[in-house]
Amino acid sequence: MNELAPAQRAFHVALVGNPNCGKTALFNALTGSSQRATNYPGVTVERKEGGLTTPGGRHISLLDLPGTYSLRARSPDEVITREVVLGSQDGVALPDLLVCVADATNLRLGLRLVLELKSTGRPVLLVLNMIDIARHRGMEIDTAALAAELALPVVTSVAVRRGGTDALLAEFDRIGGIAPPKTTSAWLAPDATGIRALQREADRILAAVVRMPPDKRDPMTRRLDAVLLHPVAGLLILLTVLFLMFQAVFAWAEPAMQLIEGGFQALGAAVGATLPEDGALGLLRSFLQDGLIAGVGSVLVFLPQILILFLFILLLEDFGYMARAAFLMDRIMGGAGLHGRAFIPLLSSFACAIPGIMATRVIDSRRDRLATILVAPLMTCSARIPVYTLIIGAFIEDRPVWGWIGLQGLVMFGLYAAGIVSALGMSFVFKRLLWRGTPSEPFMLELPDYKWPRLRDVLLGLWQRARAFLRRAGTIILSMMVVIWFLSSVPRPPEGATAPAIEYSLAFAIGHAVEPVLRPIGFNWQIGVALIPGMAAREVAVASLGTVYAVASNGEETTELGQALAGKWSLATALAFLAWYVFAPQCAATLAVIRRETGSRGWMWFSFGYMLGLAYLAAFVTFQVASLLGAG
Amino acid sequence: MSLPTPAPTALDLGAAPRGFLGRILGLRQLELGGLPAEELELRLLELGFVEGARVEILHQGLFGGGDPIAVRIHTATIALRRREAAAILVEPLDE
């Protein structure tokens, strides 16, 4: 009685397919909200799993494997696909059935993959997805003949339509009733001759079972690409899309951000009101209010921006535009030693480097991915904006430079440009210094046909990414906040102290200790003190400056802090402070994510070190030059 | 591998202009300082660049002499750089 009845045992199914074959849409249609995304052990490859019950009552455990053209894996993602298919991936059961998903409108490479999968000796089922689009374009596919040629079951599906997966579910019921064979996999990496032979066979089958219309191109894709991939117009449109995206990220998120900020302030105040200021409970009060609530709030406040950014990225990705953006940007990125695909991660880093660094997983080669991770924090993330706004507002005259372009806006633009230029410059340097002689990966990318994004797929993607951000940033920030709060709050001020509490803390001692080092870049000890809590998140430095200068800095009173600073800092110091913030590794959460994604403490310290060096150098040059010009 | 004797009109895909329509004669071993020649050949094959396939250059970039290029091959459109496309030998087709 130890053996489970066949109907009770979960039937393991793995989805395999080329990139852009509609595999994820099919996975979403089959599993809906029952899916979970975790990581495979030891690697940062996302493991997407879900469950479903067939009409026949069979429980299916479904695994969505990373897209690939062949089992001869080139990237960590593709290695996972191969290992799972061959049953050698730790912690993953050998699939009872491999479902090869192929785009019915673009079958050629999918057919070769299914032939390769068949050679593993595992049970394989071919799904011709997007069959509706293929029919609409006048392609006729003889599925019975295809099944006969392949000697495999073949079904059609329309992942995005209700009932579009019925045939596939029926096959799960039918195949699930047959005990899977106990064969071991017999797969050998094909050489050039082997791939040629497989592709010829796929082409032969294709010619035999598919009747194509004379013009195979999708009319919408043809018309759109004529404009969107035009050498000049395409680049201009890309820039316009990016501009609109940033406009949306900053304008639309504002109300939600104020709401979150206000909510956390109210929560902090409520907690503060219930606990006394002195004694051991006072320490707890300070920890809850200044450490925990303020810290979590300082990360959550970016969630609206990140959601809007991801919404745009998901829409553009599902529409098929992201591959085009990579195509248009390839030469520009390539000149700096970056891969065309580094474009999206760097773009995301404008909101926050954490999702940007997480997005580098799409880059196949480890070296290209590492280069992107190292320079992503140089892109001006939105946490720098409060710092920039404060300093610019206080020190830069608000006067028009040319037409409607003001000096303040120009300085802001200059800071953004400095971030972009330094990111491209540093990746160029890394390529020359760190990876001299290592081959650079070629840019080869399929440009899929344009498709209207589906609401369900976009919302699911948005939810998954938001959750990943919250989990990662949440846990990391929490632990970092404890350390930084400790430095800024312990020891507590003595009874009857009049100076701000921070002046009795370890941070204060550290700020004073590092002052001689900071003097050449024009920083006083107050800045040194503010930099330590600022490690938690950049914008916390604003609040800390407020504390050090004993000025409230919440909400509308920021101008008050600005005025206080304007009276106490020289222009040279203010400019040096801005230059410092362009480069400074002032965000503990980003460093922790770098450690996670590179799997190495060494790279985390390397990025910390090089950014610190750059920040010091930039602030030094800025301060000295500005002082010479009479701004000291 | 041995190549068929190139036709007098043969050229490499990396040197072909936008709008070029042709047929693949073969892949040549190209040491680019990037990937090993064998690896480049395997990757091109995996994207469907096999002998006999029809190719058309649909689009090209703005910089570097029109780089990268978007190549139509059967029902797929593949973006790649001209330096890698140079490993693909083609003959023009007139249509």
Side-chain angles (χ1 to χ4, degrees), chain A residues 34 102 140 145 179 188 225 327 365 381 384 420 437 475 498 510 552 564 602 622:
Chain A
S34 81
E140 287 172 39
L188 283 173
D225 273 348
F327 177 85
S365 117
C381 68
R384 286 176 174 98
I420 298 169
T475 47
T498 47
I510 298 171
T622 307

Side-chain angles (χ1 to χ4, degrees), chain A residues 69-70 72 74 105-109 112 139 190-192 195-196 199-200 203 206 212 216-218 225-226 229 231-232 235 327 330-332 334 338-340 439-447 449, chain B residues 1 18 26-27 33-36 39-51 53-54 56 58-65 67-70 72-81 83-84:
Chain A
Y69 288 103
S70 137
R72 199 188 62 84
R74 303 162 304 168
T105 66
N106 186 14
L107 262 181
R108 188 169 175 251
L109 302 179
R112 198 195 63 235
M139 296 182 184
D191 59 0
I195 300 174
R196 279 190 173 89
Q199 190 62 63
R200 288 227 174 82
D203 287 351
L206 202 60
M212 294 273 181
K216 289 171 265 192
R217 286 184 71 190
D218 169 35
D225 273 348
L229 286 185
V232 181
L235 272 174
F327 177 85
D330 177 63
R331 273 306 281 232
I332 300 168
L338 287 166
H339 195 270
S440 70
E441 283 285 302
F443 172 75
M444 290 183 194
L445 188 63
E446 193 170 347
L447 305 178
D449 284 343
Chain B
M1 64 161 282
R18 189 166 68 92
L27 301 185
L35 292 175
E39 177 64 22
L40 176 62
E41 185 185 12
L42 288 175
R43 292 201 189 179
L44 289 170
L45 288 171
E46 279 169 357
L47 287 171
F49 291 99
V50 297
E51 287 74 6
R54 242 177 66 122
E56 183 181 355
L58 295 182
H59 307 282
Q60 62 181 25
L62 178 60
F63 309 103
D67 201 30
I69 52 175
R72 187 72 179 175
I73 176 162
H74 203 81
T75 49
T77 307
I78 311 280
L80 74 166
R81 291 184 188 145
R83 58 182 241 144
E84 274 88 31

